[in-house]
């Protein structure tokens, strides 16, 4: 009988049963535990490792479910035949397929794209996942409504109306696996003979998607209030893609006057629409939240795009599109040919997460957490010598810095890297040839408050004039 030799770490990030499971799986893959070998019972294994029997049982259940071991009635657990086992060795994975992480030569990464996953409600998500899968709901394994599950669309409508002032019915909501998919669907509904105007600097990923789909895209300059409507009028565009709640990357919160000007442009423009990407709308730190642009749309000209990537987690890949009534006939004609790209099981989990108040509690916790990090970073930055201007500090999870002097973005980033800190250039988001002040972006969501302080100290030293 195989005796397991393993030192378990009580304070490790992985729980005890995962440590047991991964160790045994590795031993089986390497051939150290041979095919047909009998394993200790859960009672004996628990005694050997000084863990509860339920912990040992969980480890065995995972190995059973993956086919590494088998349970023989009245005899015990045995290792399965592994000759045809397919597994990937992490050290030989192609570089492009390895997990994306911070550059190896930096200690602190101010990435603007991350979120704080240390405070993700793992226990709640696991509980809801088990609840959904324990019920014998066969319908969840069939294709559902192309729009997405009605119950989830209904709860999203309630949330959008209460939190963002959006006027919407469930029939107008389309669920999709990320904004990328919804942009492709929207392209089919609008047709590629449309010219799309985007702010400059802009969310480059969306720009590249629309360009790749065959749209004629152009950029329109911004002032301190957002997209310049007069420049939009002369651009020849009939669709405007804007982020009024928190423009990415500049962080501008569009005031109501500019929003009304945009809506007036769409009303006057034949076939004109506004795509409102409500980026980072949940996280606002100064002043009262401004309702979504869609809530002020009385002529069905705003297409609303939202996601749970920032508010919950990017990997759940659930976004939503709110179509104006003027596009619903087009969706009935074209859009229903596309099946929903989000698992019905995942939709059900998210529905329960929102219905039972977990989403609201999670958002409130994350707002407080990000506000605290935001305040720490601003306090540190304001003590730095040579900071000429701070931008985008009213909302979101990043700020922008413009430094005094003649240093370029490249030099600022190089000096930061020498101090083992990664910051990001604004120029990456610039598509046109306009000249912009050298500006660096500091995202703070993935860092702890102490890490923010330490990183800011290093930047202050690196950027001393």
């Amino acid at each position: 009988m195989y005796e397991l030799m393993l030192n378990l770490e009580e304070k490790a990030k992985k729980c005890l049963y995962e440590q047991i499971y991964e160790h045994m799986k590795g031993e089986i893959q390497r051939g150290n535990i041979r095919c047909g070998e009998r394993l200790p019972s859960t009672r004996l294994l628990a005694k050997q490792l000084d863990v509860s029997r339920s912990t040992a049982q969980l480890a065995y259940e995972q190995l059973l479910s993956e086919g590494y071991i088998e349970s023989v009635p009245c005899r015990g657990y045995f290792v399965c035949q592994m000759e045809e086992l397919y597994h990937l060795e992490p050290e030989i994975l192609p570089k492009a397929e390895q997990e994306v992480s911070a550059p190896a030569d930096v200690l602190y990464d101010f990435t603007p794209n991350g979120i704080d996953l240390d405070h993700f409600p793992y226990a709640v998500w696991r509980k809801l996942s088990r609840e959904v899968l324990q019920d014998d709901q066969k319908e969840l394994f069939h294709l559902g409504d192309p729009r997405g599950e009605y119950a989830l669309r209904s709860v999203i409508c309630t949330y959008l109306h209460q939190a963002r002032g959006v006027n919407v019915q469930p029939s107008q909501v389309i669920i999709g696996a990320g904004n990328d998919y919804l942009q492709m669907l929207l392209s089919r509904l609008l047709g590629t003979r449309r010219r799309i105007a985007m702010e400059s600097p802009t969310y480059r990923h969306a720009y590249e998607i629309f360009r790749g789909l065959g749209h004629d895209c152009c950029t329109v300059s911004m002032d301190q209030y957002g997209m310049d409507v007069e420049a939009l009028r002369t651009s020849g565009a009939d669709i405007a893609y804007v982020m009024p709640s928190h423009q990415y990357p500049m962080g501008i919160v569009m005031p109501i006057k500019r929003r009304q000007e945009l809506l007036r442009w769409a009303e006057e423009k034949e076939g004109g629409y506004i795509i409102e990407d409500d980026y980072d709308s949940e996280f606002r730190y100064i002043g009262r939240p401004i309702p979504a642009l869609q809530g002020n749309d009385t002529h069905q000209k705003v297409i609303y795009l939202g996601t749970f990537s920032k508010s919950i987690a990017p990997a759940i890949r659930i976004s939503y599109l709110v179509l104006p009534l003027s596009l619903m006939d087009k969706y009935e004609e074209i859009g229903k040919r596309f099946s929903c790209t989000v698992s019905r099981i995942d939709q059900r989990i998210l529905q329960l997460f929102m219905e039972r108040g977990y989403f609201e509690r999670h958002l409130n916790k994350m707002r407080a957490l990000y506000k605290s990090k935001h305040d720490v970073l601003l306090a540190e930055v304001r003590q730095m010598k040579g900071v000429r201007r701070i931008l985008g500090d009213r909302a979101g999870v990043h700020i922008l810095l413009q430094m005094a002097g003649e240093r370029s973005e490249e030099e600022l980033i190089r000096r930061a890297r020498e101090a083992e800190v990664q910051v990001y250039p604004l120029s990456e988001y610039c598509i046109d040839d306009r000249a912009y002040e050298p500006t660096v972006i500091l995202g703070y969501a993935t860092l702890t408050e102490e890490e923010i302080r330490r990183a800011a100290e290093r930047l202050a030293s690196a950027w001393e004039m």
Side-chain angles (χ1 to χ4, degrees):
M1 183 178 292
Y2 178 72
E3 185 173 349
L4 190 67
M5 301 297 294
L6 172 62
N7 293 321
L8 297 174
E9 300 179 32
E10 292 284 349
K11 295 183 179 181
K13 288 187 177 181
K14 293 182 179 178
C15 55
L16 295 178
Y17 93 86
E18 289 181 302
Q19 295 179 53
I20 299 169
Y21 149 73
E22 290 191 353
H23 175 80
M24 295 186 74
K25 182 177 75 170
E27 291 289 277
I28 293 170
Q29 289 177 341
R30 290 186 288 270
N32 295 333
I33 309 178
R34 295 184 299 277
C35 169
E37 187 166 349
R38 186 180 178 186
L39 300 175
S41 66
T42 56
R43 188 184 302 276
L44 183 57
L45 181 64
K47 184 177 180 181
Q48 288 176 359
L49 299 178
D50 193 23
V51 297
S52 69
R53 190 176 178 186
S54 61
T55 297
Q57 185 69 43
L58 281 172
Y60 275 4
E61 286 178 358
Q62 187 64 37
L63 291 166
L64 280 166
S65 67
E66 295 185 15
Y68 287 98
I69 65 175
E70 61 181 342
S71 176
V72 180
C74 303
R75 294 189 60 199
Y77 295 97
F78 294 83
V79 178
C80 293
Q81 176 61 256
M82 292 289 107
E83 290 179 359
E84 296 181 1
L85 175 68
Y86 176 78
H87 64 275
L88 292 174
E89 297 293 343
E91 62 269 19
I92 61 172
L93 276 173
K95 184 175 181 181
E97 295 180 17
Q98 294 176 2
E99 184 178 353
V100 177
S101 59
D105 57 343
V106 301
L107 290 176
Y108 307 105
D109 185 8
F110 279 107
T111 174
N113 299 319
I115 68 168
D116 186 328
L117 287 174
D118 290 336
H119 293 83
F120 179 81
Y122 293 101
V124 170
W125 204 263
R126 278 195 298 268
K127 170 190 169 186
L128 295 177
S129 299
R130 285 196 299 267
E131 179 181 330
V132 170
L133 291 172
Q134 280 173 356
D135 295 337
D136 293 332
Q137 301 184 59
K138 295 180 181 178
E139 68 275 7
L140 292 181
F141 293 88
H142 292 290
L143 283 176
D145 191 318
R147 291 184 175 91
E149 296 301 288
Y150 181 86
L152 175 59
R153 290 187 283 122
S154 181
V155 76
I156 287 174
C157 287
T158 301
Y159 162 69
L160 289 178
H161 183 68
Q162 294 177 355
R164 303 295 301 124
V166 173
N167 299 313
V168 58
Q169 297 297 321
S171 60
Q172 296 172 257
V173 178
I174 315 296
I175 305 294
N179 286 10
D180 303 358
Y181 165 76
L182 294 177
Q183 287 165 9
M184 288 189 285
L185 176 61
L186 195 53
S187 175
R188 290 284 292 136
L189 298 181
L190 295 172
T192 55
R193 295 182 180 179
R194 304 287 195 127
R195 190 170 208 209
I196 301 177
M198 300 186 72
E199 299 153 322
S200 179
T202 191
Y203 178 35
R204 196 178 189 109
H205 186 65
Y207 179 88
E208 297 294 347
I209 286 177
F210 282 123
R211 282 286 298 272
L213 293 169
H215 289 276
D216 177 15
C217 295
C218 65
T219 56
V220 172
S221 61
M222 291 191 297
D223 56 24
Q224 69 268 34
Y225 305 120
M227 181 178 279
D228 185 331
V229 178
E230 288 307 312
L232 174 63
R233 292 183 193 279
T234 61
S235 69
D238 47 12
I239 297 174
Y241 186 106
V242 295
M243 293 168 274
S245 295
H246 181 232
Q247 199 276 341
Y248 190 81
M250 296 302 292
I252 296 170
V253 179
M254 187 181 291
I256 190 66
K257 183 175 184 295
R258 180 58 52 86
R259 295 173 184 233
Q260 294 293 345
E261 291 171 356
L262 264 177
L263 289 171
R264 195 173 302 114
W265 167 83
E267 293 164 14
E268 295 169 355
K269 185 75 175 181
E270 184 178 355
Y273 283 102
I274 299 169
I275 301 175
E276 178 182 12
D277 187 344
D278 210 11
Y279 178 80
D280 266 1
S281 63
E282 296 88 358
F283 306 115
R284 181 175 171 83
Y285 312 122
I286 300 175
R288 298 184 62 183
I290 299 176
L293 183 66
Q294 195 269 5
N296 292 313
D297 176 25
T298 58
H299 290 77
Q300 299 296 311
K301 291 290 188 174
V302 176
I303 301 164
Y304 183 92
L305 185 62
T307 181
F308 293 101
S309 291
K310 282 285 187 181
S311 57
I312 301 180
I316 67 169
R317 303 303 297 156
I318 300 181
S319 295
Y320 48 90
L321 188 66
V322 176
L323 293 177
L325 296 176
S326 57
L327 283 177
M328 290 309 300
D329 288 344
K330 197 70 173 177
Y331 177 79
E332 294 292 333
E333 176 189 346
I334 295 177
K336 280 197 169 183
R337 300 173 188 170
F338 298 88
S339 299
C340 184
T341 52
V342 179
S343 158
R344 297 181 74 185
I345 294 171
D346 290 337
Q347 292 185 62
R348 175 65 174 162
I349 294 169
L350 178 57
Q351 172 207 329
L352 296 177
F353 187 72
M354 298 181 74
E355 279 181 347
R356 296 180 183 178
Y358 296 120
F359 180 56
E360 181 180 359
R361 289 194 288 273
H362 176 64
L363 269 185
N364 290 336
K365 180 175 73 173
M366 298 310 295
R367 282 193 192 103
L369 182 70
Y370 287 147
K371 174 66 164 60
S372 183
K373 293 183 180 185
H374 165 273
D375 292 348
V376 167
L377 180 57
L378 284 183
E380 294 293 328
V381 165
R382 284 168 179 158
Q383 294 179 37
M384 289 183 186
K385 295 179 181 178
V387 175
R388 188 172 66 82
R389 196 177 177 198
I390 302 172
L391 304 171
D393 60 331
R394 298 174 65 88
V397 289
H398 76 270
I399 63 171
L400 301 92
L401 289 186
Q402 291 178 351
M403 305 297 292
E406 301 299 324
R407 290 178 181 167
S408 65
E409 286 181 357
E410 292 78 8
E411 184 178 357
L412 292 170
I413 291 168
R414 178 183 58 79
R415 284 174 173 260
R417 285 293 289 267
E418 290 172 354
E420 298 180 291
V421 180
Q422 181 71 50
V423 297
Y424 295 83
L426 175 64
S427 56
E428 286 187 357
Y429 302 89
C430 300
I431 296 170
D432 51 43
D433 297 327
R434 296 184 184 92
Y436 296 94
E437 293 275 355
T439 306
V440 294
I441 300 174
L442 279 68
Y444 49 84
T446 62
L447 299 174
T448 66
E449 291 182 18
E450 184 57 32
E451 287 172 336
I452 290 171
R453 291 188 182 96
R454 292 175 183 171
E457 288 174 2
R458 288 172 176 256
L459 287 179
S461 298
W463 289 344
E464 278 187 357
M465 297 299 179

